[in-house]
Amino acid sequence: MSETKEIHIPLGPSPEKWDLLSKGIDPFGDQMILQMGPQHPATHGVLRLELKTDGEVVTKITPYIGYLHRCFEKVAESVTYPQVIPYTERMDYLAGMNMALSYVLAVEKLREIEVNDRVETLRVLVCELNRIASHCVAIGTFALDIGAWTPLLYLFQVREHILDLLEELSGARMLFNYIRIGGLAHDIPTGWIDKVREFCTYMDPKIPELNGLLSYNKIYIERLAHVGVMSQDVALQYGITGPNLRATGFDYDMRRDAPYSGYEKYDFQPQIGAGEQGTPGDCWDRYIVRVREMEESLKIIRQACDRMPEGDVKETIPKSLRKMPEGEVYVTTEAPRGELGIYLVSDGTDKPYRVKARSGAYCSVAAVPAISLGGLIADLVAIVASIDIVLGEVDR
Amino acid sequence: MILHFLTQAVFWFLVILTVGSAIVVVFNKRILHSAFALLFTLCGVAGLYVFLSADFLAASQMLVYVGGILTLIIFGVFLTARMYNMSIPEQTHQRFLALLPVLGLGGIIFYVLNSAEWHLITPMVAPTTENLGKMLLTTYLVPFEVASMLLLAALIGAIRLARPRKEDHDD
Amino acid sequence: MTPEEICQKLQSAGIEVTYHDTKPDPFLLCTLQSYKQAALTLRDDPDLAFQSLMSLTGLEWPDYFEVASQLISYQKEHRVTIKVRCGKDDPSVPTLSDVWTIAEWHEREAYDLVGMTFAGHQDLRRILLPEDWEGHPLRKDYSPQERWHDISLTSEPPKTTHE
Amino acid sequence: MIALEPYLDLIISVVYVVGIVLFLSLFALFATWLERKVAGHIQDRLGPMETGGWHGWLQPIADAIKLLIKEDIIPAAADKKLFKLAPYLVFIGSLAGFAVLPFAANLIGSDLNIGVYYVIAVTSLVVIGILMAGWASNNKWSMYGAMRSAAQMISYEIPVALSLLIPVMMAGTMSMVEIVDNQAGGFWNWYVFRTMPFSLIAFVIYFWASLAEVNRAPFDLPEAESELVAGYFTEYSGIRWAMFFLAEYGDMFVVSAIAATVFLGGWYAPFPFLDIIPGPIWFIGKTAFLVFVQMWLRWTLPRLRVDQLMYVCWKIFLPFSFANLLLVGLWVVLKG
């Protein structure tokens, strides 16, 4: 008899299974356990998917999250209300403005602060800019996971442009801390609006270019159509929101249907997936919804630039947030990765009693097993890319 | 002189490679190592074909045996072996029993080798491909066709076996 | 429908639920016994039609634990918060994971961070923290363990053995 | 003094082999640089610019030095013997192809009368090498890469071989030199333009299938970084990894050179009056152009999925190649 080789088995959550494996007993028949992540190019950060595979067919998926967990909710309980804002931006670090907006709106609702029109318009403007930047990364990395490198670089140029704009505005490129409770950190620099308009002109031809290069590429469509179909039932069961929900053909966009921060004043069309190339709710729909949403965001940005009212952006910033009214509030906004809900409970002190962030990406990860079983590993890669998760937001 | 020596050296290298790796194939305890050792045996044989001026045969040896059959064998080992458990014990306790047929067969081969009349021919440099092709389509057409029929039947049979059965599909 | 009307609707269906008019957002408080029934009615009643569970939060109050769930009905365009409370000695509430699938993950999070359990939950494991973590961070009296495996969790710099 | 005369052949062979290895290494170095530059410019950026001054031309040298002095890591659980052996096999498989590439009428390693067939045969070594690497790494991703690679290379060998048969049939020989000689005198004599459209189809099929043969995008599934980390060479590092890399670029050169030889007139210029420019320049130029196209495709197209890859091979390339072969056979018979 020959010697049996000891195989190093990484730290796993199910030690009993690994015990069996290390003894040479295969508890899964012909199937193989595959650890995808936490360090894997396709998991967009530190997500771990434990796969059970039969050949290349995935028969079971168990997501493990929490590698990026820093207990935002605990931190938020131990700092004062304004100090929470930077932490919210670290959730979905690709869309810091949108994250901060949700929290700020919650505090304002609790404190009953009405901000003026200029603040609202500027908030919409920066959030939509940030949404485009965020979708650029989403689409770029999506393409990268399907094997197309180049769109990523093109989209990063666009994003770079936006980050420059936001940097000029806030002094930071990703974690802005610009939106404040009751207002904004400071007014826009002179000539900034013109630069935003310039950006819009620059951005206009980029989306047709992207469509030509990637969206309607035969291979790309073949890879994504009919893959990872998410039905509306599944989406609702899993509390999927945002572009992923709209991709199933469900026509709901908070910005139109439950407007906040003055979104009702803008003319835009929420994009829904129609199964143009395959089934409604497949990966391609999730992709194209984001592409088209960038165009819609551009429309909103243009309108915001045009209607930019006068006003003082610090007018309603409260002098002191020592005494907050007791009570609780749940506010959601349409962030690029689905609704970001902030559930805020106040006990009257200067620190929140409880902050819960309900993130869209969290629900999306939960839905991965439901939509990708029976597909190939390559399909799973496409699906994980298509639901567009940021692990900072999932793990918080 | 040196050339002759070099030729001889290459020849003996090939012989040692072939026989040596063949021994590894037989005696290695890991079935996968045996399979990979077979690669060198096959390459060695291909080299010997080159010495016989049978270059087409040598290339075919590489293509069919290395590219086809050996790959198939390795695939087979992969599929039967557990991925977690890399070593496959191969039991060899019937070694002495095996010696009997080996000696018997060896004796027969040795006898044939000794009693055969060997014609030494001068090495040909002319291409063999054309002759081969002509012979396959004239003199040996019938065996050639029979062989292709056999392969075709095997192919169809393999496809039939590999396809999922109707009943399996239904549930 | 406003949360108040929703509450009346539930009460008329014989479900024990009370309306709490807190500012700015009101909520409906269920009892432990009526919780599951309330959730099912909220989902299945055609006038309510809460298709989706948006968020589920575990809270710790000085005397009790609380679970707050935000529901949305896209069809009827209304939202509501329902709550249930359980005592500290037996921090267990019925699960909603068979009503809305996503509750499975939200409840795991509440179990992980707040330390309450959900009766009937199929797969109640920690989700954000490692399996072998001690304690539940969102408890008000939580203090982190000193070490986790070889990692020091205190804020002081690790002691070095260098001379 | 020893008379060199009898050993001239031997000496020339040795010099040639050394030359080829040098050429392969230099080409691979140049190709890595070119790949980055092509990628850079396609992606609206510059690529390496710092090392060496002019357009970062020293970058590949710096990389080579880095790879050579890098720590050689063999995973503890790897099958060490096979792990070490595999890169050599892959490299030899790639190198062996160079033996029959006719850089010019008299600049060829060996004008075998089975040249084309030989090339197809030695690629088998690469398959075995990759399978070996995948298995020996004892890593599931490597294993997937190896399995994919083997399946892919074996499948695509068939359309490659069938497409190569067409110029062979037209030339009536498998010798590289003779095939090229049959295409002398202007680009209209190149096999790719004769018997339109059959040979053009054959050329297109050959080119795409050869991309799959050498695991290049859009058929780079065995090393698809977003799916399989790095496929069969996930666990390799330093010089062993460099050998896979070298082999990949060598393979790119070989398949392109064969396309240039059998379809694009080898060392002959497109117009007879341009034949004053030496043959090897034309040959390498044509090959380099095809290599460039390979890179161009890589940085433009997304990747196929495993089943689509097989579908394309067995249900599109294969029937077309067969039909093509029959029609060209008919054409040759009717004409000859």
Side-chain angles (χ1 to χ4, degrees), chain D residues 112-159:
Chain D
L112 296 182
N113 60 59
I114 52 158
V116 178
Y117 193 59
Y118 165 83
V119 174
I120 296 170
V122 291
T123 12
S124 317
L125 272 180
V126 181
V127 183
I128 301 289
I130 286 174
L131 276 173
M132 197 185 272
W135 174 272
S137 300
N138 194 11
N139 175 320
K140 288 168 186 171
W141 301 108
S142 303
M143 195 62 214
Y144 268 120
M147 294 295 247
R148 277 186 181 189
S149 179
Q152 174 175 338
M153 291 174 89
I154 290 171
S155 307
Y156 275 87
E157 223 160 64
I158 303 167

Side-chain angles (χ1 to χ4, degrees), chain A residues 15-266:
Chain A
E16 68 283 357
K17 281 184 211 158
W18 290 117
D19 272 354
L20 285 177
L21 285 181
S22 61
K23 284 176 196 144
I25 302 165
D26 173 12
F28 310 107
D30 286 341
Q31 306 199 347
M32 183 167 80
I33 289 282
L34 195 60
Q35 299 289 346
M36 191 165 168
Q39 263 79 38
H40 185 277
T43 53
H44 289 234
V46 279
L47 168 68
R48 179 158 68 95
L49 299 170
E50 195 182 81
L51 312 180
K52 214 162 118 178
T53 54
D54 180 5
E56 289 219 16
V57 178
V58 179
T59 54
K60 186 170 190 296
I61 303 171
T62 319
Y64 290 92
I65 60 172
Y67 291 90
L68 222 55
H69 179 60
R70 60 231 114 123
C71 216
F72 155 75
E73 293 163 18
K74 184 73 179 175
V75 175
E77 285 174 18
S78 51
V79 295
T80 59
Y81 280 93
Q83 285 175 333
V84 177
I85 297 174
Y87 291 105
T88 60
E89 290 181 337
R90 278 159 179 77
M91 288 197 289
D92 183 354
Y93 40 80
L94 295 177
M97 291 287 189
N98 304 63
M99 296 288 115
L101 181 67
S102 229
Y103 171 74
V104 164
L105 287 178
V107 180
E108 283 170 4
K109 192 172 174 191
L110 188 69
R111 184 69 192 248
E112 290 171 343
I113 301 171
E114 289 276 326
V115 295
N116 62 32
D117 201 11
R118 186 175 177 83
V119 173
E120 283 196 334
T121 312
L122 271 173
R123 281 179 180 176
V124 167
L125 181 55
V126 291
C127 282
E128 292 306 316
L129 279 173
N130 213 175
R131 186 188 310 276
I132 295 181
S134 165
H135 280 351
C136 280
V137 180
I139 294 166
T141 52
F142 192 176
L144 182 63
D145 283 350
I146 306 301
W149 254 95
T150 305
L152 177 80
L153 277 294
Y154 287 1
L155 289 163
F156 262 62
Q157 286 185 351
V158 174
R159 178 168 180 264
E160 200 62 18
H161 217 110
I162 296 173
L163 294 189
D164 285 346
L165 286 172
L166 295 179
E167 184 185 12
E168 197 181 337
L169 190 64
S170 67
R173 291 170 65 81
M174 278 174 89
L175 308 162
F176 311 99
N177 202 12
Y178 178 66
I179 297 179
R180 298 286 169 84
I181 296 165
L184 299 168
H186 39 75
D187 210 335
I188 48 173
T190 34
W192 192 74
I193 291 290
D194 291 330
K195 285 184 185 163
V196 176
R197 279 186 225 272
E198 259 171 50
F199 163 75
C200 293
T201 327
Y202 159 83
M203 176 81 189
D204 270 336
K206 293 286 169 187
I207 290 169
E209 186 187 276
L210 179 70
N211 284 341
L213 177 65
L214 187 67
S215 311
Y216 295 97
N217 181 307
K218 178 75 178 152
I219 299 176
Y220 199 61
I221 291 173
E222 286 291 321
R223 278 297 305 274
L224 301 184
H226 304 294
V227 170
V229 177
M230 188 193 280
S231 67
Q232 290 187 4
D233 280 346
V234 168
L236 294 175
Q237 274 294 312
Y238 279 94
I240 303 289
T241 46
N244 291 342
L245 177 66
R246 285 192 285 282
T248 64
F250 199 95
D251 194 3
Y252 184 82
D253 189 324
M254 277 205 69
R255 291 173 294 171
R256 183 196 61 191
D257 298 317
Y260 55 92
S261 198
Y263 264 112
E264 65 277 6
K265 295 167 196 153
Y266 302 93

Side-chain angles (χ1 to χ4, degrees), chain D residues 247-326:
Chain D
E248 177 174 332
Y249 282 95
D251 279 340
M252 277 168 74
F253 188 88
V254 170
V255 294
S256 302
I258 290 167
T261 309
V262 301
F263 289 107
L264 301 177
W267 62 80
Y268 285 110
F271 297 98
F273 65 86
L274 284 174
D275 274 337
I276 42 166
I277 299 172
I281 292 182
W282 283 113
F283 180 78
I284 293 175
K286 288 170 185 174
T287 308
F289 173 73
L290 290 176
V291 169
F292 165 73
V293 175
Q294 291 184 344
M295 294 177 177
W296 181 8
L297 289 171
R298 169 165 177 193
W299 298 105
T300 311
L301 292 177
R303 181 186 305 122
L304 275 86
R305 202 171 53 208
V306 187
D307 55 328
Q308 290 164 350
L309 180 92
M310 290 297 156
Y311 181 92
V312 169
C313 178
W314 293 103
K315 296 201 174 166
I316 297 175
F317 284 172
L318 204 58
F320 270 95
S321 315
F322 265 121
N324 218 359
L325 191 66
L326 276 177

Side-chain angles (χ1 to χ4, degrees), chain D residues 49-71:
Chain D
M49 287 299 284
E50 295 297 324
T51 324
W54 186 80
H55 285 268
W57 67 277
L58 265 180
Q59 188 64 46
I61 311 283
D63 286 342
I65 294 170
K66 181 199 75 175
L67 286 172
L68 281 170
I69 61 179
K70 219 171 176 179
E71 188 190 350

